[in-house]
Amino acid sequence: MADYHSVNASATPHPKARADIRTASLSEPVELVDYLYTRLKQLGVSSVHGVPGDYNLVALDSLEKNKLKWVGNCNELNAGYAADGYARVKGIAAIITTFGVGELSAANAIAGAFSEVVPVVHIVGTPSTISQRNGMLLHHTLGNGDFQVFANMSREISCAMAKLNDPVDAPALIDNALRECWLQSRPVYITLPTDMVQKKVEGLGLKTTLDLEEPDNEPEKEAYVLDVIYKYMTGAKKPMILVDACAVRHRVLDEVHELVTKTGLPTFVTPMSKGAINETLPNYGGVYAGAGSAPGIQEFVESSDLILSIGAIKSDFNTAGFSYRISQLSTIDFHSSHINVKYSGYAGVRMKPLFHKLIPKLDRNDLQVATVPKLDSNTVPPLAAGEDERMVSHDFFWPRLGKWLKEGDIVVTETGTANFGIWGTRFPPGVTAISQVLWGSIGYSVGATQGAALAAKEMGDKRRVILFVGDGSFQLTCQEISTMIRQGLTPIIFCICNEGYTIERFIHGMTASYNDVQNWRYKDLLAVFGADPKKSGVFQIRSRAALEELLLNHVFSSAQYIQFVELYMAKEDAPIALKLVTEASAKNNARLE
């Protein structure tokens, strides 16, 4: 009997032996983490944001050999915001957090990226598969042996998930998640257990980059939709184009610009797509935000008999409190997954390949092209009654800013006075605008500025990165200035000092103490975070004259090093667009059944 058992025991390979046999069968073995990092590099990621934790440390060891830079943020929330900003400039981003405490800290930022349609790869270092199978009572858990609870939370804010628990299928899971991240332009969630990091996987597939091309539309269906759209466009008396955020997120701006310039049709953008169109074009008409639009824009847009709406996101702040007055009967909606022509929907017809067929078919001579209303070119309005001519007001600041901005600038605005004020600023060509109009998490812009500035630096662009953030929002995420200094980034930061949460004051509680914040010596923070005084600049602006002097300062405007501006404005001052939108928001919040 003893001989029988010994024979059968020797016939069953030890797990290590089985692993050795599997590894020996691989054509080009690579470590699992190297496979993942190589794919990130192939997608254009050069730096990885995040915070170290014991479940991701071994994975972090492999960044350098894969020529990936570790950023190292002050906390996971800021890292998520930074990854979002990085992706908006460079196309895609990655963040690494640790299991439980780290990933949950980043969840708000990842949810924002999902909401705003931004591709972020969220890699979570998790306990080993052995610990998970045994339900061990580990730190960073809920103490109930459930190791899937946090992944289940992330499922709703991820367009794909890859749990790398088996080296056999890990490459396929990684490839699928990254492809979906790119094509859907939304976050994905990848778990990397500690015992899987250095497991050998098949690396042969790395010789071929991922196929990121959108599939072609079904020819017969596409041809029918083209004919319908062409018929309506050539038959319309006042057609126009309205560009929204998903035109940016789904990478159709080249096609949209070709459509805009070839047809000459009047073209407007929404708040979420500010900067998407060259604002110096003669047929650019400005920002359409329903009742929040500049004079003449709402009337022009809403009198159009055909609106080519590209990538629409009709949220409350993007539509100035749902104040659009556009009939679906006069709208053709272009989306990444479908087309709606008036009330007829065509699922599966994608806008990008459709544009490649539609644009060559169009001839300006076959279209009725209206003249857009004369657009204000950053004209500072006259003083309002009782307004102090010395004080910097929003009515003064945002038009004046438009004359200071340069071609190619990256402008980041916080969801508050800055985001609404920038609507009326006419940009020079090539300006990228970053904001979080839909998700609207206060403090987002500071982290996003770090990510955007790093992305621009990596791309070799000498583009200025300029942040406009209110003091209340700044207090939530100010630590990321430390990361900017550490990484040698050179943003110009305007902190609008108005004693608290202005946007919330206009929604509710104008004089309530809960909308106030402690006044800080904001400009001193560069020194606190270790900035070299010879390679940084701080300014305090309380008057128009001082602002004018600063904007005319060549050294300041050249953005050679990080600079911080305390910009003081009146507590109850706000852009007119903010006042209109918050009034609508307050009414919506107060609605009863």
Side-chain angles (χ1 to χ4, degrees):
M1 186 69 81
D3 288 343
Y4 175 82
H5 280 296
S6 63
V7 169
N8 278 270
S10 63
T12 303
H14 186 274
K16 186 177 186 306
R18 287 200 300 270
D20 290 341
I21 294 170
R22 185 192 62 79
T23 301
S25 69
L26 300 175
S27 300
E28 295 190 17
V30 299
E31 290 184 0
L32 191 159
V33 70
D34 293 337
Y35 188 98
L36 174 58
Y37 290 167
T38 300
R39 282 299 195 211
L40 291 177
K41 283 288 289 184
Q42 290 174 347
L43 289 175
V45 175
S46 299
S47 296
V48 177
H49 291 86
V51 176
D54 60 339
Y55 294 129
N56 66 29
L57 296 177
V58 176
L60 298 185
D61 285 339
S62 295
L63 286 168
E64 187 174 352
K65 70 176 179 178
N66 285 281
K67 295 182 172 55
L68 286 170
K69 180 179 181 179
W70 175 246
V71 177
N73 299 90
C74 296
N75 59 58
E76 291 88 354
L77 177 60
N78 287 357
Y81 290 152
D84 182 304
Y86 183 98
R88 295 193 195 212
V89 173
K90 211 169 183 192
I92 193 168
I95 173 177
I96 298 179
T97 62
T98 197
F99 179 74
V101 294
E103 60 180 303
L104 293 187
S105 292
N108 175 29
I110 299 299
F114 187 91
S115 170
E116 297 261 333
V117 198
V118 179
V120 174
V121 180
H122 186 190
I123 302 164
V124 180
T126 69
S128 71
T129 58
I130 301 167
S131 297
Q132 293 187 49
R133 279 198 307 271
N134 293 335
M136 296 181 71
L137 192 61
L138 299 180
H139 61 286
H140 298 342
T141 71
L142 298 180
N144 59 3
D146 184 355
F147 288 88
Q148 303 307 312
V149 60
F150 308 125
N152 291 337
M153 291 180 185
S154 289
R155 188 179 303 278
E156 298 303 316
I157 53 174
S158 308
C159 71
M161 304 186 77
K163 297 180 180 180
L164 307 182
N165 297 327
D166 186 337
V168 174
D169 60 9
L173 292 175
I174 291 170
D175 288 358
N176 177 71
L178 296 183
R179 186 171 189 275
E180 290 303 311
C181 183
W182 182 270
L183 291 178
Q184 295 192 44
S185 193
R186 280 198 155 117
V188 294
Y189 179 90
I190 298 176
T191 61
L192 184 55
T194 55
D195 60 333
M196 290 291 115
V197 173
Q198 296 173 322
K199 290 283 188 182
K200 299 295 184 181
V201 301
E202 181 58 73
L204 191 62
L206 294 175
K207 291 184 176 180
T208 305
T209 57
L210 293 176
D211 179 9
L212 302 177
E213 292 298 317
E214 290 188 26
D216 291 334
N217 291 324
E218 194 279 312
E220 188 174 3
K221 191 173 187 179
E222 180 181 68
Y224 176 77
V225 175
L226 279 170
D227 287 343
V228 173
I229 294 173
Y230 183 79
K231 179 186 74 172
Y232 283 124
M233 287 185 68
T234 54
K237 295 179 180 178
K238 191 182 174 184
M240 56 152 284
I241 298 168
L242 180 61
V243 182
D244 210 335
C246 281
V248 182
R249 308 293 196 267
H250 290 289
R251 308 174 187 90
V252 295
L253 286 188
D254 287 345
E255 291 82 358
V256 170
H257 269 103
E258 187 178 358
L259 177 69
V260 170
T261 54
K262 183 175 182 179
T263 64
L265 291 176
T267 300
F268 299 81
V269 298
T270 68
M272 284 186 74
S273 62
K274 173 72 174 165
I277 295 298
N278 181 352
E279 300 188 8
T280 65
L281 290 174
N283 52 327
Y284 173 73
V287 177
Y288 171 67
S293 308
I297 292 178
Q298 183 178 19
E299 294 80 1
F300 184 93
V301 171
E302 295 175 4
S303 65
S304 173
D305 62 341
L306 185 67
I307 298 173
L308 306 181
S309 173
I310 304 173
I313 298 180
K314 297 177 183 178
S315 69
D316 51 355
F317 281 8
N318 203 34
T319 62
F322 305 112
S323 60
Y324 275 20
R325 296 295 178 265
I326 297 173
S327 170
Q328 189 61 42
L329 277 173
S330 60
T331 305
I332 299 177
D333 289 302
F334 295 83
H335 291 283
S336 62
S337 60
H338 65 281
I339 307 294
N340 290 332
V341 181
K342 302 191 176 185
Y343 282 105
S344 298
Y346 302 95
V349 179
R350 301 170 181 84
M351 61 178 169
K352 192 177 186 76
L354 184 74
F355 281 138
H356 292 166
K357 302 286 180 61
L358 175 64
I359 294 169
K361 189 180 177 74
L362 296 171
D363 187 322
R364 185 182 300 203
N365 294 325
D366 296 330
L367 304 171
Q368 295 195 43
V369 180
T371 302
V372 295
K374 181 175 175 53
L375 185 63
D376 176 70
S377 292
N378 299 316
T379 302
V380 176
L383 288 172
E387 184 179 359
D388 186 345
E389 65 178 3
R390 296 166 298 180
M391 190 76 177
V392 179
S393 66
H394 285 283
D395 284 349
F396 170 83
F397 180 69
W398 299 106
R400 178 62 186 89
L401 174 70
K403 297 177 180 179
W404 175 74
L405 292 176
K406 298 179 181 179
E407 183 171 352
D409 282 344
I410 298 172
V411 176
V412 187
T413 53
E414 182 65 45
T415 304
T417 54
N419 180 59
F420 290 94
I422 207 75
W423 292 7
T425 302
R426 192 167 189 179
F427 288 164
V431 171
T432 297
I434 296 175
S435 63
Q436 204 186 47
V437 176
L438 178 54
W439 186 244
S441 183
I442 57 175
Y444 158 82
S445 65
V446 183
T449 296
Q450 182 263 292
L454 180 60
K457 180 180 178 180
E458 290 176 355
M459 295 169 75
D461 296 340
K462 296 189 180 298
R463 305 174 70 184
R464 299 187 305 180
V465 179
I466 308 157
L467 167 63
F468 300 94
V469 58
D471 50 5
S473 297
F474 178 73
Q475 290 193 8
L476 272 75
T477 50
C478 61
Q479 312 97 311
E480 226 41 46
I481 285 183
S482 174
T483 310
M484 297 175 198
I485 296 168
R486 181 184 180 191
Q487 296 297 333
L489 306 178
T490 62
I492 297 174
I493 301 167
F494 286 85
C495 182
I496 300 171
C497 301
N498 51 16
E499 303 178 45
Y501 304 119
T502 299
I503 186 171
E504 296 183 4
R505 286 190 185 116
F506 277 89
I507 294 174
H508 184 82
M510 178 60 76
T511 60
S513 62
Y514 51 71
N515 283 327
D516 297 335
V517 299
Q518 171 67 24
N519 286 327
W520 291 1
R521 293 193 292 270
Y522 295 98
K523 64 183 179 60
D524 294 348
L525 287 176
L526 288 193
V528 169
F529 291 129
D532 183 342
K534 296 179 181 178
K535 297 180 180 178
S536 59
V538 293
F539 308 90
Q540 191 175 77
I541 302 299
R542 294 181 179 271
S543 69
R544 296 188 183 191
L547 177 63
E548 193 69 26
E549 182 180 352
L550 180 67
L551 297 182
L552 294 175
N553 184 313
H554 173 72
V555 175
F556 172 76
S557 298
S558 62
Q560 298 171 14
Y561 40 68
I562 188 168
Q563 298 175 101
F564 193 96
V565 181
E566 280 186 6
L567 176 61
Y568 286 85
M569 292 190 179
K571 186 175 181 177
E572 296 182 2
D573 184 26
I576 184 64
L578 181 144
K579 296 176 182 178
L580 291 168
V581 172
T582 52
E583 181 182 2
S585 181
K587 289 179 180 177
N588 193 54
N589 290 344
R591 289 175 61 185
L592 300 174
E593 288 291 340

